[in-house]
């Protein structure tokens, strides 16, 4: 079992179905890994230096696929997700991409079906199954893994959240992009305190346009 790889980024490519493939050069051997888009964005800034990617090897009769993650905790969460009936590797990565590690764990532990269902391919029934099967496991695992509980305000107030999300979706942004933008913008204390949907929208668009 390969726990992690440390090397330099050779290439990062997007392929069909929004899959992102990383080729990591480790001692002149190129390892091909499928990674979340969130990780690809982090690696873009580290093209000149060494990076560490935590891995999960999936072996099937017809192929072997190596998946890469930003942290051991993210890799372990991926393994928890694919243990749920009906959740394959692609859906697990989509969940991580859409919500990010702390918010995904929080959504599962609190049974936030609405948040889980934002992920493309995850309907309410699937979200309910994920929460039902993993709620207790992740509540305990989160403490052991040291996964921080996200701040209560990682986005707009509930009263305007739907307006912000619907506007950004109408502008062509994906749920995963919107989630990341709102998470980033909420770090600005002035925006975080705002109950003005237009201010959130402007700030999110500015972040997405960087």
């Amino acid at each position: 079992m390969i726990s992690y790889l440390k090397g330099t980024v050779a290439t990062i490519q997007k392929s069909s179905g929004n899959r992102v493939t990383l080729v990591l050069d480790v001692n002149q051997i190129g390892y091909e890994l499928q990674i979340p888009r969130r990780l690809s964005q982090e690696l873009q800034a580290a093209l000149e230096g060494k990076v560490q990617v935590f891995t999960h090897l999936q072996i099937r009769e017809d192929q072997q696929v190596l998946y890469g993650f930003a942290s051991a905790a993210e890799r372990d969460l991926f393994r928890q997700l694919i243990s749920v009936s009906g959740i394959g590797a692609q859906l697990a990565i989509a969940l991580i991409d859409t919500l990010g590690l702390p918010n995904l764990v929080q959504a599962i532990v609190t049974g936030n079906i609405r948040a889980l269902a934002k992920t493309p391919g995850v309907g309410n029934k699937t979200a309910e199954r994920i929460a039902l099967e993993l709620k207790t496991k992740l509540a305990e695992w989160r403490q052991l893994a040291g996964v921080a509980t996200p701040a209560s305000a990682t986005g707009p107030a509930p009263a305007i959240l739907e307006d912000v999300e619907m506007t950004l979706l109408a502008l062509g942004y994906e749920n995963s992009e919107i989630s990341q933008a709102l998470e980033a913008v909420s770090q600005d204390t002035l925006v975080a305190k705002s109950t003005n949907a237009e201010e959130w929208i402007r700030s999110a668009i500015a972040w997405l346009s960087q």
Side-chain angles (χ1 to χ4, degrees):
M1 180 63 69
I2 303 172
S3 179
Y4 65 83
L5 293 169
K6 186 178 290 186
T8 56
V9 177
T11 61
I12 299 175
Q13 294 182 330
K14 290 184 179 180
S15 58
S16 59
N18 282 329
R19 297 186 185 186
V20 180
T21 301
L22 161 71
V23 175
L24 192 67
D25 186 335
V26 182
N27 296 326
Q28 299 184 335
I29 298 175
Y31 288 87
E32 185 175 284
L33 306 95
Q34 186 181 333
I35 61 174
R37 276 176 294 174
R38 283 175 177 262
L39 177 55
S40 71
Q41 292 165 359
E42 293 175 22
L43 293 178
Q44 292 290 350
L47 292 178
E48 300 300 323
K50 280 200 170 186
V51 298
Q52 184 174 16
V53 180
F54 292 84
T55 60
H56 172 81
L57 178 62
Q58 186 177 75
I59 300 176
R60 294 180 177 176
E61 291 182 4
D62 57 339
Q63 65 177 343
Q64 296 183 16
V65 181
L66 197 59
Y67 295 93
F69 303 92
S71 65
E74 190 172 275
R75 187 262 317 275
D76 294 345
L77 175 59
F78 170 83
R79 289 174 173 169
Q80 296 268 20
L81 290 168
I82 61 176
S83 73
V84 177
S85 175
I87 304 299
Q90 302 310 318
L91 205 53
I93 286 179
L95 282 158
I96 292 170
D97 259 334
T98 300
L99 295 174
L101 176 63
N103 288 324
L104 176 54
V105 174
Q106 179 73 0
I108 294 171
V109 170
T110 59
N112 189 339
I113 305 306
R114 183 175 180 273
L116 294 172
K118 289 179 181 179
T119 302
V122 177
N124 285 341
K125 287 185 177 179
T126 301
E128 288 170 359
R129 185 164 64 250
I130 293 170
L132 179 65
E133 293 193 25
L134 296 182
K135 182 176 182 178
T136 302
K137 290 181 182 178
L138 291 189
E140 298 171 354
W141 171 82
R142 177 167 62 181
Q143 301 298 323
L144 295 173
V147 176
T149 301
S152 57
T154 55
I160 63 170
L161 178 59
E162 188 171 354
D163 286 344
V164 174
E165 290 178 337
M166 293 303 292
T167 300
L168 294 172
L169 284 169
L171 290 173
Y173 296 108
E174 297 180 0
N175 273 315
S176 59
E177 294 175 315
I178 294 170
S179 178
Q180 290 178 56
L182 296 182
E183 186 177 331
V185 169
S186 67
Q187 303 306 310
D188 184 325
T189 54
L190 291 177
V191 178
K193 294 177 181 178
S194 175
T195 56
N196 185 324
E198 290 185 3
E199 185 172 350
W200 277 94
I201 293 166
R202 284 196 302 271
S203 298
I205 292 173
W207 185 88
L208 289 162
S209 301
Q210 291 178 356

